[in-house]
Amino acid sequence: MRNKLIAGNWKMHGSLAGNPALLQSVAAGAATQSNVSFAVLVPFPYLAQAQALLTGTSCAWGAQDVSEEAGGAFTGEVSAAMLRDFGCRYVVAGHSERRARHGESDRRVAAKALAALEAGLTPIVCVGETLDEREAGQTLAVVYRQLDAVMESLGVRRLPAIVLAYEPVWAIGTGRSATPAQAQEVHAALRQRVSNADWVVGSGLQILYGGSVKPSNALELMRLPDVDGALVGGASLAADDFLDIGRAAALA
Ligand code: PGA
């Protein structure tokens, strides 16, 4: 049985003054749920605050991006070792907002995942198709291409050290989640793709669903056989909603 992870992607939200209430509520709620893991993925400037408030709690923390470089003249970038310095456990690689806005290629995303892994972080690698790609019948081709780049760079034997997240771009921040059938189809296909290379790794791979996950749809999504948790954007900014999604995952 795969463990379920509920990871909150704060995106560019939060404030030094407002974060403690959210972090402390999430940590208190997470402590009451033993069979689900929680994490928050905060903007870089708040990592020290997350570390200070979450150390010793059952909520992990992490960042939303990482450089593929180890260090050097890369203005504005943050290395995986720096994230380790702040106690991060997770880092997102290849979120669609970064792929689209910052031109991150499949290769670059794979390099970021590798850099994270080598620093001892768990990369949460995002894959997902746009609406145009879905309507053109290219969903699986797109997510396979994105997954294959990571498999080639890491090697299938290292995939147990990553978390994969399927986030259909058209479902992110739109209020329109994938239907359970749509999510299950892609999750099962991704797992099968990895299983074709290594059955054991495929069976154990943790695959999160992301895209308009909220308390009202969490249970039906978390019950799907190949969904192992959620990457939650908007609903992670309200502690009650985020924890309710965790409760749904625990029940599923
Ligand atoms: P959303 O975002 O839950 O607000 O749709 C999910 C994500 O982008 O990770």
Side-chain angles (χ1 to χ4, degrees), residues 7-249:
N9 174 10
W10 284 17
K11 308 195 181 188
M12 201 169 71
H13 294 287
S15 70
L16 203 59
N19 297 341
L22 178 53
L23 291 170
Q24 282 158 350
S25 301
V26 168
T32 66
Q33 299 197 34
S34 50
N35 55 346
V36 178
S37 301
F38 287 89
V40 290
L41 309 162
V42 304
F44 293 134
Y46 302 139
L47 285 173
Q49 190 180 35
Q51 182 179 33
L53 292 172
L54 297 178
T55 295
T57 74
S58 37
C59 182
W61 62 95
Q64 301 165 14
D65 183 36
V66 64
S67 177
E68 68 270 40
E69 305 290 349
F74 303 102
T75 302
E77 297 201 26
V78 173
S79 73
M82 292 171 186
L83 299 182
R84 284 297 303 170
D85 276 347
F86 286 91
C88 289
R89 167 138 181 226
Y90 295 101
V91 64
V92 179
H95 190 280
S96 60
E97 285 153 15
R98 296 207 58 86
R99 289 182 190 260
R101 292 180 60 90
H102 302 273
E104 291 189 6
S105 63
D106 296 337
R107 246 176 94 176
R108 186 140 180 245
V109 171
K112 285 172 182 251
L114 184 60
L117 210 59
E118 286 182 340
L121 298 166
T122 300
I124 301 176
V125 180
C126 300
V127 300
E129 82 289 0
T130 63
L131 190 57
D132 283 352
E133 289 163 341
R134 174 164 282 269
E135 285 174 348
Q138 289 169 351
T139 298
L140 293 185
V142 169
V143 298
Y144 287 161
R145 191 197 71 220
Q146 294 169 333
L147 171 64
D148 288 355
V150 176
M151 276 211 276
E152 274 158 32
S153 155
L154 269 54
V156 69
R157 291 297 170 100
R158 289 218 261 185
L159 288 193
I162 78 159
V163 172
L164 194 62
Y166 169 55
E167 295 207 311
V169 178
W170 47 270
I172 294 176
T174 58
R176 176 184 166 198
S177 149
T179 65
Q182 287 171 325
Q184 172 56 25
E185 183 199 4
V186 178
H187 279 241
L190 288 167
R191 188 177 307 290
Q192 187 59 50
R193 185 85 166 175
V194 176
S195 293
N196 291 345
D198 186 312
W199 184 82
V200 175
V201 175
S203 318
L205 186 67
Q206 194 171 34
I207 312 179
L208 311 184
Y209 169 78
S212 296
V213 178
K214 45 200 168 199
S216 60
N217 61 18
L219 190 57
E220 61 181 6
L221 289 164
M222 295 304 109
R223 278 203 170 133
L224 297 169
D226 288 294
V227 172
D228 310 311
L231 184 54
V232 184
S236 71
L237 299 172
D240 287 351
D241 287 352
F242 188 55
L243 292 165
D244 276 349
I245 293 168
R247 263 192 286 280

